[in-house]
Amino acid sequence: MHFTAEDLFNVTFASEPLPLVELALALVAWQRTDEPAVFGRWRSRVGRELPGRARPLLDLLRPDGDNPEFVEPFVRDFEQGLALVRDAGPLLTGEQLHRAAARAPGSASWLRALWGQDREAWDVLDGALRSAYASVVAPQWPRIRRSFQADVAWRTRLLASHGIKAALASTHPAAGWSGTAFEVGRPPDYELHLGGRGLTLMPSSFWTGRPLLAGQPDGSHVLLYPALTPLPLAATGAAEGALDALLGRTRAAVLQLLVEQRTTSELARDLDISLPSVSEHTRTLRAAGLITTERDGKAVLHSVTGLGVDLLHSGG
């Protein structure tokens, strides 16, 4: 993603999470298999509770997150979003149908009916969106908002202290810069020139993969990326401190312990959590520039960075 000087001054944060975007990413996250230590129990619960009426959405929303944009409009109001989904029907193209049908795990007959403007198929889609939202997203909305707000607060401070390049590079372990080009070393490969039209950063508490890019009607783009605190780690009630609200209690404890260098095994022992769970937490903290990791023979050693120390001080 190529930035001009104007683009670098035109990066903003979204003001709040969006219901249909979070719904789409929640169903995508449920189908993924990465980060099992964090999302494993949540995925099991969603699998038990997701209504059968919502299952048609799985033909549209696939685990890689590169899905039809019409089903996840970027609007704040859920009902308005559903109306925009309906309005998009006549604009869908045969090329989009072919791509969606090739990715769908089941029969493409329902998708063909949807693209053919069959009223019953669109009623099925509307019911699936409503049912899935009520089951998966609505009960968790306060936690989704907390995760979103904590990430924006942290990255805003990161931007102010270290600049836009650090703020963007921290969105994924494979993200980095080559001159004025922001790069993520994960497929699929594509290239974009922002052209001064603006970029909005939007964290998601459900998404776990590489940053996703979505175009907007005004020519600007939105970069969706994993929030620093994924939903399963977001506090269910009021957090005990600023760090807990930002990172989640366990991840905040990991950061605090790493004021002194520790191995993965020592962290697991001191916090009484599994080794895979420690690895998930340290990977995210490392991607955010809060810790460093190095090998010493067979041991993997972690320690806090200067940026991490700053965060510990600001969080009390």
Side-chain angles (χ1 to χ4, degrees):
M1 183 161 55
H2 295 273
F3 285 75
T4 63
E6 184 179 0
D7 292 317
L8 291 171
F9 286 111
N10 202 14
V11 177
T12 59
F13 288 95
S15 59
E16 60 183 316
L18 304 178
L20 283 171
V21 174
E22 290 301 314
L23 172 59
L25 293 175
L27 292 179
V28 165
W30 174 58
Q31 298 173 80
R32 293 173 67 87
T33 58
D34 57 341
E35 299 200 18
V38 175
F39 277 89
R41 290 185 179 180
W42 175 83
R43 286 175 178 138
S44 296
R45 186 174 69 253
V46 171
R48 294 191 302 269
E49 298 175 358
L50 187 67
R53 190 182 182 193
R55 302 276 169 165
L57 290 174
L58 305 183
D59 287 332
L60 287 168
L61 302 171
R62 305 306 303 140
D64 62 5
D66 193 19
N67 296 307
E69 293 183 2
F70 82 92
V71 80
E72 47 184 17
F74 283 69
V75 293
R76 300 177 182 181
D77 182 77
F78 180 66
E79 291 295 333
Q80 181 189 1
L82 292 178
L84 288 175
V85 172
R86 283 266 190 181
D87 291 344
L91 305 177
L92 299 179
T93 66
E95 180 182 351
Q96 291 172 313
L97 169 60
H98 177 75
R99 188 165 180 273
R103 290 157 50 84
S107 169
S109 59
W110 175 70
L111 293 177
R112 284 194 291 269
L114 196 68
W115 258 257
Q117 304 309 305
D118 179 81
R119 181 178 227 173
E120 184 176 342
W122 281 91
D123 288 342
V124 168
L125 177 60
D126 184 85
L129 288 168
R130 292 179 184 277
S131 179
Y133 181 78
S135 172
V136 179
V137 172
Q140 304 297 335
W141 195 250
R143 296 174 71 194
I144 293 168
R145 284 180 60 87
R146 275 194 289 273
S147 171
F148 179 95
Q149 291 165 351
D151 187 278
V152 170
W154 159 241
R155 250 171 260 278
T156 299
R157 186 173 185 275
L158 181 63
L159 189 152
S161 300
H162 298 272
I164 186 61
K165 286 193 171 184
L168 278 169
S170 68
T171 58
H172 192 272
W177 288 85
S178 176
T180 57
F182 175 66
E183 301 176 337
V184 181
R186 291 289 187 275
D189 297 327
Y190 55 87
E191 192 170 7
L192 172 73
H193 291 264
L194 290 174
R197 292 182 293 272
L199 180 69
T200 300
L201 305 182
M202 181 177 290
S204 170
S205 61
F206 291 108
W207 180 235
T208 60
R210 60 170 176 82
L212 301 170
L213 199 60
Q216 299 300 291
D218 64 358
S220 66
H221 286 82
V222 175
L223 190 74
L224 286 154
Y225 63 89
L228 198 56
T229 308
L231 182 79
L233 299 182
T236 54
E240 293 181 0
L243 277 184
D244 290 351
L246 173 62
L247 301 175
R249 189 169 301 156
T250 303
R251 197 170 285 170
V254 170
L255 185 63
Q256 289 166 335
L257 286 175
L258 292 180
V259 171
E260 297 181 4
Q261 192 175 62
R262 281 175 165 82
T263 67
T264 302
S265 299
E266 287 170 339
L267 287 170
R269 180 200 63 206
D270 293 345
L271 295 171
D272 194 25
I273 59 178
S274 69
L275 289 171
S277 183
V278 171
S279 296
E280 296 284 4
H281 293 313
T282 54
R283 182 173 63 82
T284 299
L285 292 171
R286 186 167 55 252
L290 300 178
I291 69 168
T292 60
T293 299
E294 59 186 75
R295 285 195 171 273
D296 183 11
K298 293 184 178 180
V300 178
L301 302 172
H302 311 282
S303 55
V304 72
T305 64
L307 191 61
V309 171
D310 288 346
L311 180 60
L312 287 169
H313 283 309
S314 66

